[in-house]
Amino acid sequence: MAAENEQQRKSSAVSDMGAWAMNVISSVGIIMANKQLMSSSGFSFSFATTLTGFHFALTALVGFVSNATGLSASKHVPLWELIWFSIVANVSIAAMNFSLMLNSVGFYQISKLSMIPVVCVMEWILHSKRYSREVKVSVVVVVVGVGICTVTDVKVNAKGFICACVAIFSSSLQQILIGSLQKKYSIGSFELLSKTAPIQALSLLVAGPFVDYLLSGKFILNYNMSSGCFVFILLSCALAVFCNISQYLCIGRFSAVSFQVIGHMKTVCILTLGWLLFDSAMTFKNVSGMFVAIVGMVIYSWAMELEKRSNLAAKALNSVKHSLTEEEFQLLKEGVETTESKDVELGGYTKA
């Protein structure tokens, strides 16, 4: 029995690492592809919201094919919950884009960093979730480290501040909803994504061109599409499928806070790849910030492992307690205490 539990624990750990790796690799890949797609030195495709609609359209198509071929099962989730989630998710996407347009890069990065404490507070309010001191310390270290290596100029204006607040709140709520919907309806990450992706795709493809026009002053129908641009759009969409699946998978297996920590690991990877591939400047400030962030992530992993072991020990104790009568449990407890006192006395006698 113990060997079987150990095997399950190792298998779960491998699956966890696979989910983390898929999210980091696909997210970093999609950012690199989008950088080439949207930058002035690339294809100048400045229609981020519509592109996100393309991402969800391909994700919805993959989900439809998977359900039709029997590779995944479809479970019932009330339509109003799916629509509510899609509204929150789409507001998050639009608000993030407007925040980036209206604020300085430095303030935009600070707003993204503030999502971890906001998620913690929201989970405490909505689900009465509490965090250990070690987890809190590690989160602070990660935020400080990423702040050091990403925050530069910080300029604030009223419209940008409002957009940033809406983006932080909606993004945090979206990530919490992913986990809570999976638990509430006992639905897998891919099954939930298959249900939300079509609604998000349809709404973003309808509203996206107008949002992009407000952001860039350009309309997508006037864009001169090249074959190279089309290939990069397909690449971006393919990577987005893996990115979306792994996001739902990570939040379902871990938590919204853990997903935020993974996000900052991606920031470190992007800065490193930018330096290696695009000759981006790498200063002592960047390197020291990344080092602090990585230390924080290591501490976070250790703190979460401690928390997991503590929870398992508590569940095992409750299981034993419920399997025994109250009288048997008290006798067992008294026996342990008597043995401990005898061991102390014996140790004292031998020492003398």
Side-chain angles (χ1 to χ4, degrees):
M1 185 70 179
E4 186 179 337
N5 289 338
E6 181 65 20
Q7 185 65 33
Q8 286 179 352
R9 192 180 69 80
K10 286 182 180 177
S11 176
S12 178
V14 171
S15 299
D16 291 349
M17 287 301 296
W20 282 62
M22 185 196 293
N23 187 259
V24 171
I25 292 169
S26 60
S27 297
V28 172
I30 197 172
I31 288 170
M32 292 298 159
N34 288 352
K35 186 170 183 178
Q36 178 64 24
L37 194 59
M38 296 181 179
S39 66
S40 55
S41 58
F43 298 102
S44 298
F45 186 85
S46 56
F47 310 100
T49 313
T50 308
L51 179 62
T52 308
F54 293 154
H55 291 169
F56 280 106
L58 184 58
T59 304
L61 179 62
V62 170
F64 175 78
V65 171
S66 179
N67 287 332
T69 54
L71 292 175
S72 60
S74 179
K75 290 187 178 180
H76 175 70
V77 178
L79 181 61
W80 73 268
E81 294 237 45
L82 297 176
I83 293 173
W84 165 241
F85 173 84
S86 299
I87 290 170
V88 172
N90 289 350
V91 168
S92 166
I93 293 165
M96 277 291 184
N97 287 338
F98 276 111
S99 177
L100 183 58
M101 179 185 75
L102 295 171
N103 294 310
S104 65
V105 175
F107 185 74
Y108 176 75
Q109 288 295 340
I110 287 176
S111 68
K112 286 181 70 177
L113 289 173
S114 66
M115 282 179 63
I116 290 187
V118 170
V119 167
C120 290
V121 171
M122 288 180 71
E123 286 202 319
W124 172 61
I125 293 170
L126 296 173
H127 303 302
S128 301
K129 188 168 184 177
R130 298 184 181 277
Y131 298 92
S132 65
R133 185 177 68 251
E134 292 83 1
V135 170
K136 291 174 186 174
V137 169
S138 64
V139 164
V140 170
V141 174
V142 170
V143 170
V144 168
V146 176
I148 290 171
C149 63
T150 60
V151 176
T152 50
D153 60 315
V154 179
K155 295 176 184 175
V156 187
N157 61 78
K159 289 182 181 177
F161 181 77
I162 292 169
C163 285
C165 289
V166 172
I168 293 163
F169 177 78
S170 56
S171 298
S172 302
L173 182 58
Q174 179 219 2
Q175 290 171 15
I176 292 170
L177 283 173
I178 290 172
S180 61
L181 285 174
Q182 288 186 52
K183 288 176 183 145
K184 185 176 179 180
Y185 297 104
S186 301
I187 188 170
S189 52
F190 184 69
E191 286 76 22
L192 179 60
L193 179 61
S194 299
K195 289 183 174 297
T196 58
I199 301 171
Q200 283 190 259
L202 182 62
S203 53
L204 286 171
L205 288 175
V206 170
F210 301 101
V211 174
D212 289 330
Y213 182 78
L214 290 173
L215 289 167
S216 64
K218 300 174 184 175
F219 202 61
I220 190 169
L221 294 178
N222 297 328
Y223 180 76
N224 187 20
M225 181 76 68
S226 66
S227 57
C229 179
F230 183 72
V231 168
F232 266 88
I233 288 174
L234 287 179
L235 175 62
S236 179
C237 289
L239 289 167
V241 173
F242 290 101
C243 187
N244 288 331
I245 292 171
S246 60
Q247 178 188 6
Y248 281 58
L249 195 60
C250 285
I251 294 175
R253 295 183 73 90
F254 311 115
S255 68
V257 175
S258 295
F259 185 72
Q260 283 297 315
V261 173
I262 296 173
H264 293 313
M265 181 65 201
K266 290 181 281 190
T267 302
V268 172
C269 292
I270 290 161
L271 285 172
T272 305
L273 285 173
W275 173 60
L276 292 172
L277 301 178
F278 298 102
D279 295 324
S280 299
M282 182 67 74
T283 63
F284 175 75
K285 179 173 171 284
N286 296 135
V287 175
S288 58
M290 285 192 288
F291 176 76
V292 172
I294 290 169
V295 168
M297 289 166 199
V298 171
I299 298 171
Y300 182 82
S301 301
W302 167 76
M304 290 305 294
E305 186 63 28
L306 278 182
E307 202 170 87
K308 191 185 291 184
R309 288 182 183 179
S310 176
N311 291 337
L312 286 173
K315 284 180 183 176
L317 183 61
N318 286 333
S319 177
V320 170
K321 186 174 180 179
H322 290 308
S323 64
L324 300 173
T325 64
E326 189 65 32
E327 186 180 351
E328 289 171 332
F329 184 76
Q330 287 298 327
L331 285 170
L332 178 63
K333 188 176 178 183
E334 288 170 9
V336 170
E337 288 173 351
T338 307
T339 304
E340 286 177 351
S341 64
K342 284 181 180 178
D343 289 342
V344 171
E345 289 170 9
L346 181 60
Y349 176 77
T350 306
K351 190 174 180 181

